Amino acid sequence: MKTKRIVVLISGSGSNLQALIDQVHQDPQVPADIVAVISNRPDAYGLERAKTAAIPAQVLDHKTFPSREAFDSALQALIDTYAPDYVILAGFMRILTADFVSHYHGRMINIHPSLLPDYKGTHTHERVLADGKAEHGASVHFVTAELDGGPVIMQVKIPVLPSDTPELLAARLLTQEHRVYPEVVKQLVNDRIVLGAQGIEVEGRLLTQPLLLANG
């Protein structure tokens, strides 16, 4: 099977990036290479993670561009120099233009800290607690022009505890994000999951609801 080429986009600490690096380096059943890590923030710690793993690390500072469209155009050009099979958003805190998303249709995924379609956007942990929800989770989805609105591939769920604060809830969920994101990438690079004309297909069968990762 062809080794897939992956470009990862980050904005911050890159803990999900690290989970993906560890997977690619350690799991022989993942035929993939992370060929570049690109950050829109020069101070993102994830860049150091990439350098430590001998992965090319690039900075494209969005603040130096006159518009969102100009930044996305330059970002697309930079990504395409690496000829990726997949583009993975790992804490990339930018709203992407429709043209950019369309260019990578079916090849770009994101992880969001909620059980989509609930709690799109930011401050998900605070909102879950404010609403008194019994359950929280993370969703890995294909990226479309609708913010956090693309087809959901897989979710992982955790209970909300009476003692939870937004910080505690976020920390407990993050450990599960580090499980679910690599699992989806493993399925993608092994050609088990594709985004077809009718929706997500898993080994040729149309997915009617998101896959659920068992608690580890």
Side-chain angles (χ1 to χ4, degrees):
M1 180 179 289
K2 171 194 169 187
T3 299
K4 303 300 197 303
R5 298 171 61 84
I6 293 172
V7 169
V8 182
L9 306 185
I10 64 168
S11 296
S13 71
S15 70
N16 270 310
L17 165 64
Q18 189 64 59
L20 297 172
I21 291 172
D22 292 345
Q23 178 203 47
V24 167
H25 286 180
Q26 298 170 13
D27 190 342
Q29 297 182 4
V30 179
D33 286 327
I34 299 175
V35 296
V37 172
I38 302 172
S39 173
N40 67 308
R41 296 184 181 276
D43 60 348
Y45 181 69
L47 294 167
E48 298 303 316
R49 296 181 189 271
K51 292 173 185 176
T52 298
I55 298 168
Q58 301 269 10
V59 174
L60 196 68
D61 189 345
H62 65 278
K63 294 180 180 178
T64 65
F65 289 85
S67 67
R68 188 178 302 277
E69 290 76 15
F71 172 76
D72 280 11
S73 179
L75 179 60
Q76 179 178 312
L78 178 58
I79 292 170
D80 286 352
T81 64
Y82 293 98
D85 295 286
Y86 294 103
V87 177
I88 296 179
L89 310 185
F92 187 64
M93 303 304 291
R94 295 283 300 171
I95 296 175
L96 298 165
T97 56
D99 285 347
F100 181 92
V101 171
S102 177
H103 182 69
Y104 299 108
H105 178 76
R107 299 190 292 135
M108 185 161 57
I109 61 172
N110 181 48
I111 188 164
H112 181 74
S114 81
L115 296 172
L116 293 173
D118 295 338
Y119 303 105
K120 298 178 182 180
T122 59
H123 305 295
T124 61
H125 316 300
E126 292 87 344
R127 291 155 64 195
V128 164
L129 289 172
D131 289 346
K133 295 292 186 179
E135 204 169 44
H136 192 27
S139 305
V140 181
H141 64 95
F142 283 105
V143 177
T144 63
E146 180 187 354
L147 179 65
D148 301 327
V152 178
I153 304 166
M154 185 179 290
Q155 295 179 322
V156 62
K157 298 179 180 181
I158 62 170
V160 177
L161 305 178
S163 58
D164 271 330
T165 63
E167 295 75 20
L168 288 172
L169 188 57
R172 284 198 298 114
L173 182 58
L174 190 59
T175 64
Q176 299 305 311
E177 290 182 34
H178 297 164
R179 295 178 58 239
V180 70
Y181 217 3
E183 179 59 30
V184 170
V185 170
K186 183 176 183 176
Q187 302 293 333
L188 279 174
V189 300
N190 279 286
D191 300 324
R192 295 174 188 150
I193 293 174
V194 299
L195 182 59
Q198 303 301 316
I200 297 171
E201 297 174 8
V202 181
E203 297 185 337
R205 296 185 179 183
L206 191 64
L207 189 67
T208 57
Q209 61 184 12
L211 300 169
L212 184 63
L213 183 68
N215 289 329

PDB file of all heavy atoms in Angstrom, residues 17-41:
ATOM      1  N   LEU A  17      -0.995  16.887  17.681  1.00  0.00           N
ATOM      2  CA  LEU A  17       0.088  16.646  16.732  1.00  0.00           C
ATOM      3  C   LEU A  17       1.037  15.591  17.290  1.00  0.00           C
ATOM      4  O   LEU A  17       1.447  14.671  16.567  1.00  0.00           O
ATOM      5  CB  LEU A  17       0.851  17.939  16.464  1.00  0.00           C
ATOM      6  CG  LEU A  17       2.212  17.790  15.772  1.00  0.00           C
ATOM      7  CD1 LEU A  17       2.062  17.231  14.371  1.00  0.00           C
ATOM      8  CD2 LEU A  17       2.949  19.127  15.761  1.00  0.00           C
ATOM      9  N   GLN A  18       1.403  15.714  18.574  1.00  0.00           N
ATOM     10  CA  GLN A  18       2.321  14.749  19.175  1.00  0.00           C
ATOM     11  C   GLN A  18       1.743  13.344  19.152  1.00  0.00           C
ATOM     12  O   GLN A  18       2.458  12.371  18.890  1.00  0.00           O
ATOM     13  CB  GLN A  18       2.653  15.153  20.610  1.00  0.00           C
ATOM     14  CG  GLN A  18       3.763  14.320  21.238  1.00  0.00           C
ATOM     15  CD  GLN A  18       5.086  14.504  20.519  1.00  0.00           C
ATOM     16  OE1 GLN A  18       5.587  15.622  20.427  1.00  0.00           O
ATOM     17  NE2 GLN A  18       5.652  13.414  20.009  1.00  0.00           N
ATOM     18  N   ALA A  19       0.445  13.232  19.418  1.00  0.00           N
ATOM     19  CA  ALA A  19      -0.203  11.911  19.364  1.00  0.00           C
ATOM     20  C   ALA A  19      -0.102  11.318  17.961  1.00  0.00           C
ATOM     21  O   ALA A  19       0.113  10.106  17.801  1.00  0.00           O
ATOM     22  CB  ALA A  19      -1.665  12.028  19.800  1.00  0.00           C
ATOM     23  N   LEU A  20      -0.238  12.159  16.952  1.00  0.00           N
ATOM     24  CA  LEU A  20      -0.129  11.685  15.568  1.00  0.00           C
ATOM     25  C   LEU A  20       1.311  11.326  15.214  1.00  0.00           C
ATOM     26  O   LEU A  20       1.553  10.324  14.531  1.00  0.00           O
ATOM     27  CB  LEU A  20      -0.662  12.747  14.610  1.00  0.00           C
ATOM     28  CG  LEU A  20      -2.148  13.090  14.751  1.00  0.00           C
ATOM     29  CD1 LEU A  20      -2.509  14.280  13.877  1.00  0.00           C
ATOM     30  CD2 LEU A  20      -3.018  11.897  14.421  1.00  0.00           C
ATOM     31  N   ILE A  21       2.264  12.134  15.672  1.00  0.00           N
ATOM     32  CA  ILE A  21       3.677  11.815  15.438  1.00  0.00           C
ATOM     33  C   ILE A  21       4.029  10.467  16.058  1.00  0.00           C
ATOM     34  O   ILE A  21       4.671   9.616  15.428  1.00  0.00           O
ATOM     35  CB  ILE A  21       4.582  12.925  16.019  1.00  0.00           C
ATOM     36  CG1 ILE A  21       4.447  14.211  15.212  1.00  0.00           C
ATOM     37  CG2 ILE A  21       6.044  12.468  16.052  1.00  0.00           C
ATOM     38  CD1 ILE A  21       5.161  15.407  15.823  1.00  0.00           C
ATOM     39  N   ASP A  22       3.600  10.272  17.298  1.00  0.00           N
ATOM     40  CA  ASP A  22       3.892   9.009  17.993  1.00  0.00           C
ATOM     41  C   ASP A  22       3.300   7.830  17.233  1.00  0.00           C
ATOM     42  O   ASP A  22       3.943   6.784  17.086  1.00  0.00           O
ATOM     43  CB  ASP A  22       3.336   9.046  19.417  1.00  0.00           C
ATOM     44  CG  ASP A  22       4.079  10.051  20.299  1.00  0.00           C
ATOM     45  OD1 ASP A  22       5.170  10.501  19.910  1.00  0.00           O
ATOM     46  OD2 ASP A  22       3.540  10.391  21.369  1.00  0.00           O
ATOM     47  N   GLN A  23       2.070   8.000  16.751  1.00  0.00           N
ATOM     48  CA  GLN A  23       1.426   6.915  16.019  1.00  0.00           C
ATOM     49  C   GLN A  23       2.171   6.565  14.741  1.00  0.00           C
ATOM     50  O   GLN A  23       2.470   5.395  14.474  1.00  0.00           O
ATOM     51  CB  GLN A  23      -0.015   7.304  15.674  1.00  0.00           C
ATOM     52  CG  GLN A  23      -0.749   6.252  14.858  1.00  0.00           C
ATOM     53  CD  GLN A  23      -1.911   6.844  14.079  1.00  0.00           C
ATOM     54  OE1 GLN A  23      -1.775   7.869  13.426  1.00  0.00           O
ATOM     55  NE2 GLN A  23      -3.042   6.200  14.159  1.00  0.00           N
ATOM     56  N   VAL A  24       2.499   7.574  13.951  1.00  0.00           N
ATOM     57  CA  VAL A  24       3.164   7.343  12.666  1.00  0.00           C
ATOM     58  C   VAL A  24       4.526   6.682  12.868  1.00  0.00           C
ATOM     59  O   VAL A  24       4.936   5.816  12.085  1.00  0.00           O
ATOM     60  CB  VAL A  24       3.285   8.671  11.892  1.00  0.00           C
ATOM     61  CG1 VAL A  24       4.230   8.537  10.724  1.00  0.00           C
ATOM     62  CG2 VAL A  24       1.908   9.119  11.400  1.00  0.00           C
ATOM     63  N   HIS A  25       5.209   7.069  13.929  1.00  0.00           N
ATOM     64  CA  HIS A  25       6.547   6.537  14.179  1.00  0.00           C
ATOM     65  C   HIS A  25       6.532   5.150  14.809  1.00  0.00           C
ATOM     66  O   HIS A  25       7.508   4.401  14.675  1.00  0.00           O
ATOM     67  CB  HIS A  25       7.330   7.500  15.077  1.00  0.00           C
ATOM     68  CG  HIS A  25       7.775   8.734  14.348  1.00  0.00           C
ATOM     69  ND1 HIS A  25       8.487   9.741  14.953  1.00  0.00           N
ATOM     70  CD2 HIS A  25       7.608   9.130  13.059  1.00  0.00           C
ATOM     71  CE1 HIS A  25       8.742  10.702  14.068  1.00  0.00           C
ATOM     72  NE2 HIS A  25       8.210  10.349  12.916  1.00  0.00           N
ATOM     73  N   GLN A  26       5.442   4.811  15.511  1.00  0.00           N
ATOM     74  CA  GLN A  26       5.448   3.592  16.320  1.00  0.00           C
ATOM     75  C   GLN A  26       4.548   2.474  15.804  1.00  0.00           C
ATOM     76  O   GLN A  26       4.771   1.312  16.141  1.00  0.00           O
ATOM     77  CB  GLN A  26       5.045   3.929  17.771  1.00  0.00           C
ATOM     78  CG  GLN A  26       6.009   4.878  18.464  1.00  0.00           C
ATOM     79  CD  GLN A  26       5.481   5.399  19.787  1.00  0.00           C
ATOM     80  OE1 GLN A  26       4.491   4.887  20.324  1.00  0.00           O
ATOM     81  NE2 GLN A  26       6.123   6.425  20.338  1.00  0.00           N
ATOM     82  N   ASP A  27       3.546   2.798  15.016  1.00  0.00           N
ATOM     83  CA  ASP A  27       2.572   1.789  14.593  1.00  0.00           C
ATOM     84  C   ASP A  27       2.849   1.367  13.154  1.00  0.00           C
ATOM     85  O   ASP A  27       2.615   2.144  12.220  1.00  0.00           O
ATOM     86  CB  ASP A  27       1.146   2.339  14.711  1.00  0.00           C
ATOM     87  CG  ASP A  27       0.079   1.261  14.511  1.00  0.00           C
ATOM     88  OD1 ASP A  27       0.416   0.192  13.964  1.00  0.00           O
ATOM     89  OD2 ASP A  27      -1.077   1.496  14.896  1.00  0.00           O
ATOM     90  N   PRO A  28       3.317   0.141  12.941  1.00  0.00           N
ATOM     91  CA  PRO A  28       3.625  -0.302  11.578  1.00  0.00           C
ATOM     92  C   PRO A  28       2.386  -0.453  10.701  1.00  0.00           C
ATOM     93  O   PRO A  28       2.507  -0.590   9.484  1.00  0.00           O
ATOM     94  CB  PRO A  28       4.316  -1.650  11.793  1.00  0.00           C
ATOM     95  CG  PRO A  28       3.827  -2.128  13.125  1.00  0.00           C
ATOM     96  CD  PRO A  28       3.621  -0.897  13.941  1.00  0.00           C
ATOM     97  N   GLN A  29       1.201  -0.427  11.317  1.00  0.00           N
ATOM     98  CA  GLN A  29      -0.033  -0.548  10.551  1.00  0.00           C
ATOM     99  C   GLN A  29      -0.553   0.810  10.069  1.00  0.00           C
ATOM    100  O   GLN A  29      -1.688   0.907   9.594  1.00  0.00           O
ATOM    101  CB  GLN A  29      -1.095  -1.250  11.394  1.00  0.00           C
ATOM    102  CG  GLN A  29      -0.732  -2.679  11.766  1.00  0.00           C
ATOM    103  CD  GLN A  29      -1.824  -3.366  12.552  1.00  0.00           C
ATOM    104  OE1 GLN A  29      -2.901  -2.828  12.786  1.00  0.00           O
ATOM    105  NE2 GLN A  29      -1.549  -4.593  12.972  1.00  0.00           N
ATOM    106  N   VAL A  30       0.258   1.839  10.198  1.00  0.00           N
ATOM    107  CA  VAL A  30      -0.116   3.174   9.727  1.00  0.00           C
ATOM    108  C   VAL A  30       0.846   3.574   8.618  1.00  0.00           C
ATOM    109  O   VAL A  30       1.931   4.105   8.872  1.00  0.00           O
ATOM    110  CB  VAL A  30      -0.086   4.199  10.874  1.00  0.00           C
ATOM    111  CG1 VAL A  30      -0.460   5.594  10.366  1.00  0.00           C
ATOM    112  CG2 VAL A  30      -1.041   3.779  11.987  1.00  0.00           C
ATOM    113  N   PRO A  31       0.465   3.321   7.352  1.00  0.00           N
ATOM    114  CA  PRO A  31       1.346   3.644   6.221  1.00  0.00           C
ATOM    115  C   PRO A  31       1.280   5.129   5.889  1.00  0.00           C
ATOM    116  O   PRO A  31       0.639   5.552   4.915  1.00  0.00           O
ATOM    117  CB  PRO A  31       0.784   2.782   5.096  1.00  0.00           C
ATOM    118  CG  PRO A  31      -0.680   2.674   5.412  1.00  0.00           C
ATOM    119  CD  PRO A  31      -0.785   2.677   6.905  1.00  0.00           C
ATOM    120  N   ALA A  32       1.947   5.942   6.704  1.00  0.00           N
ATOM    121  CA  ALA A  32       1.863   7.394   6.518  1.00  0.00           C
ATOM    122  C   ALA A  32       3.135   8.068   7.004  1.00  0.00           C
ATOM    123  O   ALA A  32       3.828   7.561   7.888  1.00  0.00           O
ATOM    124  CB  ALA A  32       0.664   7.950   7.273  1.00  0.00           C
ATOM    125  N   ASP A  33       3.410   9.219   6.422  1.00  0.00           N
ATOM    126  CA  ASP A  33       4.483  10.100   6.867  1.00  0.00           C
ATOM    127  C   ASP A  33       3.908  11.494   7.054  1.00  0.00           C
ATOM    128  O   ASP A  33       3.148  11.974   6.200  1.00  0.00           O
ATOM    129  CB  ASP A  33       5.610  10.176   5.827  1.00  0.00           C
ATOM    130  CG  ASP A  33       6.457   8.921   5.775  1.00  0.00           C
ATOM    131  OD1 ASP A  33       6.633   8.280   6.835  1.00  0.00           O
ATOM    132  OD2 ASP A  33       6.927   8.585   4.675  1.00  0.00           O
ATOM    133  N   ILE A  34       4.257  12.133   8.166  1.00  0.00           N
ATOM    134  CA  ILE A  34       3.939  13.548   8.330  1.00  0.00           C
ATOM    135  C   ILE A  34       5.059  14.315   7.642  1.00  0.00           C
ATOM    136  O   ILE A  34       6.201  14.319   8.105  1.00  0.00           O
ATOM    137  CB  ILE A  34       3.820  13.931   9.818  1.00  0.00           C
ATOM    138  CG1 ILE A  34       2.694  13.127  10.482  1.00  0.00           C
ATOM    139  CG2 ILE A  34       3.558  15.432   9.961  1.00  0.00           C
ATOM    140  CD1 ILE A  34       2.572  13.346  11.981  1.00  0.00           C
ATOM    141  N   VAL A  35       4.738  14.921   6.503  1.00  0.00           N
ATOM    142  CA  VAL A  35       5.778  15.530   5.667  1.00  0.00           C
ATOM    143  C   VAL A  35       5.999  17.004   5.990  1.00  0.00           C
ATOM    144  O   VAL A  35       7.006  17.579   5.573  1.00  0.00           O
ATOM    145  CB  VAL A  35       5.454  15.353   4.168  1.00  0.00           C
ATOM    146  CG1 VAL A  35       5.476  13.867   3.807  1.00  0.00           C
ATOM    147  CG2 VAL A  35       4.106  15.970   3.809  1.00  0.00           C
ATOM    148  N   ALA A  36       5.077  17.609   6.744  1.00  0.00           N
ATOM    149  CA  ALA A  36       5.261  19.007   7.148  1.00  0.00           C
ATOM    150  C   ALA A  36       4.268  19.356   8.249  1.00  0.00           C
ATOM    151  O   ALA A  36       3.163  18.809   8.310  1.00  0.00           O
ATOM    152  CB  ALA A  36       5.080  19.958   5.972  1.00  0.00           C
ATOM    153  N   VAL A  37       4.681  20.278   9.102  1.00  0.00           N
ATOM    154  CA  VAL A  37       3.806  20.905  10.093  1.00  0.00           C
ATOM    155  C   VAL A  37       3.853  22.404   9.829  1.00  0.00           C
ATOM    156  O   VAL A  37       4.929  22.999   9.730  1.00  0.00           O
ATOM    157  CB  VAL A  37       4.268  20.598  11.530  1.00  0.00           C
ATOM    158  CG1 VAL A  37       3.477  21.423  12.537  1.00  0.00           C
ATOM    159  CG2 VAL A  37       4.121  19.109  11.831  1.00  0.00           C
ATOM    160  N   ILE A  38       2.682  23.004   9.695  1.00  0.00           N
ATOM    161  CA  ILE A  38       2.593  24.431   9.379  1.00  0.00           C
ATOM    162  C   ILE A  38       1.770  25.121  10.458  1.00  0.00           C
ATOM    163  O   ILE A  38       0.681  24.658  10.818  1.00  0.00           O
ATOM    164  CB  ILE A  38       1.930  24.654   8.006  1.00  0.00           C
ATOM    165  CG1 ILE A  38       2.713  23.933   6.904  1.00  0.00           C
ATOM    166  CG2 ILE A  38       1.833  26.156   7.695  1.00  0.00           C
ATOM    167  CD1 ILE A  38       2.020  23.937   5.556  1.00  0.00           C
ATOM    168  N   SER A  39       2.296  26.221  10.981  1.00  0.00           N
ATOM    169  CA  SER A  39       1.597  26.998  12.001  1.00  0.00           C
ATOM    170  C   SER A  39       1.345  28.416  11.511  1.00  0.00           C
ATOM    171  O   SER A  39       2.188  29.006  10.821  1.00  0.00           O
ATOM    172  CB  SER A  39       2.424  27.055  13.288  1.00  0.00           C
ATOM    173  OG  SER A  39       1.828  27.933  14.236  1.00  0.00           O
ATOM    174  N   ASN A  40       0.209  28.965  11.898  1.00  0.00           N
ATOM    175  CA  ASN A  40      -0.069  30.375  11.607  1.00  0.00           C
ATOM    176  C   ASN A  40       0.440  31.280  12.720  1.00  0.00           C
ATOM    177  O   ASN A  40       0.319  32.501  12.629  1.00  0.00           O
ATOM    178  CB  ASN A  40      -1.567  30.599  11.401  1.00  0.00           C
ATOM    179  CG  ASN A  40      -2.374  30.378  12.666  1.00  0.00           C
ATOM    180  OD1 ASN A  40      -2.245  29.329  13.308  1.00  0.00           O
ATOM    181  ND2 ASN A  40      -3.210  31.331  13.038  1.00  0.00           N
ATOM    182  N   ARG A  41       1.033  30.674  13.756  1.00  0.00           N
ATOM    183  CA  ARG A  41       1.587  31.451  14.877  1.00  0.00           C
ATOM    184  C   ARG A  41       3.057  31.088  15.068  1.00  0.00           C
ATOM    185  O   ARG A  41       3.375  29.919  15.295  1.00  0.00           O
ATOM    186  CB  ARG A  41       0.802  31.181  16.160  1.00  0.00           C
ATOM    187  CG  ARG A  41      -0.650  31.650  16.084  1.00  0.00           C
ATOM    188  CD  ARG A  41      -1.370  31.451  17.404  1.00  0.00           C
ATOM    189  NE  ARG A  41      -2.758  31.857  17.344  1.00  0.00           N
ATOM    190  CZ  ARG A  41      -3.188  33.116  17.501  1.00  0.00           C
ATOM    191  NH1 ARG A  41      -2.319  34.077  17.744  1.00  0.00           N
ATOM    192  NH2 ARG A  41      -4.468  33.403  17.423  1.00  0.00           N
TER     193      ARG A  41
END
